Amino acid sequence: MKILMVFDFDHTVVDDNSDTWVFRCLPGQTLPDSIKNTYTKGHWTEFMGRVLNYIGEQEVSPARVRSVMETIPLTAGMADLLTFISEHKRAVDCIVISDSNTMFIEWILQAAVRAAVDHVFTNPARINEQGHMEVRHHHSHDCERCPVNLCKRKVLEHYLSQRRHGGAEYERIFYVGDGGNDLCPTSCLRKHDVAMPRRGYTLEKLLAKLAKQRDDSPLKAEVVTWSSGSDILQELKASLRA
């Protein structure tokens, strides 16, 4: 039986937000208010579609966007963690579930340690006939807690179901994240799994509130906070030795 590592991407694998990092490829490295003011809560992917269209209209090529995305820093210790995972694929599977998009994540991981990650679940992006990048919703769902384009719990449950049908069962699952949209998937973790919120970020606060509910809490997993990839690597190594 293997261990499954599940990672969020922004402010987890990378130490920033890939969707806002892309602004750096624009003249003045900022969006005009006419684009900024179109965002509505829960509809970030539609907003990013308008951002990517605007970038294309400014005649910024996808190659230029890629070169900028490849400069986003990995979180401290994350390169060592991903390298360790890539060297222990017989024992560790690894997936990314993110509200970013396929092109950003693939570009960044190719510049880092792509071999560590078995699957990336995120919003599909492509270059259209005009040569502009565009992005679509990952899926539709009926979860009221999550953005309309992505419920990470639904993705994780579907992945685990597919693996079970293929005869694979995970001894332990580590869920590593930082934000509010990482709360929903932690509710499908088991008692011997581990929810790993980044210290000082939203997910840590939300899990602390759930822990106070005790018997009524949907959270069954152990909670271990982290500040760097080294903290996560230490937990993973300990689990492999157990």
Side-chain angles (χ1 to χ4, degrees):
M1 291 176 71
K2 302 176 80 171
I3 288 173
L4 175 65
M5 301 295 298
V6 185
F7 289 96
D8 169 49
F9 194 71
D10 295 327
H11 293 291
T12 299
V13 175
V14 293
D15 203 18
D16 212 299
N17 184 326
S18 58
D19 278 346
T20 56
W21 190 267
V22 76
F23 300 169
R24 293 169 182 246
C25 72
L26 286 167
Q29 300 190 6
T30 187
L31 283 175
D33 289 342
S34 60
I35 303 295
K36 285 182 185 177
N37 295 338
T38 65
Y39 170 67
T40 56
K41 187 176 180 180
H43 295 270
W44 180 261
T45 304
E46 292 92 331
F47 171 71
M48 282 306 300
R50 292 187 288 274
V51 170
L52 295 177
N53 185 64
Y54 176 77
I55 288 172
E57 289 175 345
Q58 304 311 300
E59 299 184 351
V60 178
S61 69
R64 168 61 181 157
V65 176
R66 177 172 185 163
S67 69
V68 168
M69 297 312 298
E70 289 176 343
T71 67
I72 193 170
L74 294 182
T75 299
M78 199 58 66
D80 289 341
L81 172 59
L82 292 173
T83 298
F84 179 87
I85 292 171
S86 69
E87 293 171 349
H88 292 80
K89 296 309 294 178
R90 288 186 178 181
V92 185
D93 284 345
C94 177
I95 64 174
V96 168
I97 308 177
S98 168
D99 204 3
S100 181
N101 68 72
T102 51
M103 296 185 80
F104 287 0
I105 293 177
E106 287 295 338
W107 287 340
I108 294 164
L109 287 179
Q110 290 291 348
V113 189
R114 182 63 180 87
V117 180
D118 300 297
H119 297 283
V120 174
F121 300 96
T122 188
N123 303 300
R126 70 181 187 106
I127 299 170
N128 64 22
E129 295 76 12
Q130 288 77 41
H132 300 177
M133 290 180 61
E134 62 180 27
V135 62
R136 295 182 288 108
H137 287 190
H138 174 72
H139 62 189
S140 59
H141 62 84
D142 55 6
C143 177
E144 296 180 356
R145 294 179 293 180
C146 292
V148 295
N149 61 293
L150 178 65
C151 171
K152 292 186 176 185
R153 174 175 178 155
K154 182 176 180 179
V155 171
L156 181 54
E157 288 178 334
H158 181 66
Y159 175 79
L160 293 174
S161 175
Q162 285 188 316
R163 296 293 287 154
R164 279 193 296 270
H165 286 312
E169 196 70 55
Y170 290 109
E171 181 178 357
R172 204 173 200 194
I173 300 170
F174 289 84
Y175 187 95
V176 185
D178 74 288
N181 66 354
D182 293 310
L183 181 65
C184 193
T186 64
S187 62
C188 69
L189 299 178
R190 306 157 299 182
K191 285 185 179 180
H192 52 283
D193 296 330
V194 185
M196 298 197 72
R198 188 172 184 180
R199 193 171 298 127
Y201 284 70
T202 302
L203 182 60
E204 181 189 17
K205 298 168 188 173
L206 294 174
L207 288 174
K209 286 182 180 178
L210 279 186
K212 291 178 182 178
Q213 295 179 22
R214 297 183 181 176
D215 294 341
D216 295 331
S217 174
L219 179 68
K220 300 179 179 68
E222 178 185 1
V223 176
V224 178
T225 60
W226 64 278
S227 293
S228 73
S230 302
D231 299 331
I232 303 165
L233 180 55
Q234 183 178 336
E235 293 294 324
L236 174 58
K237 286 181 175 179
S239 191
L240 289 172
R241 288 193 298 266

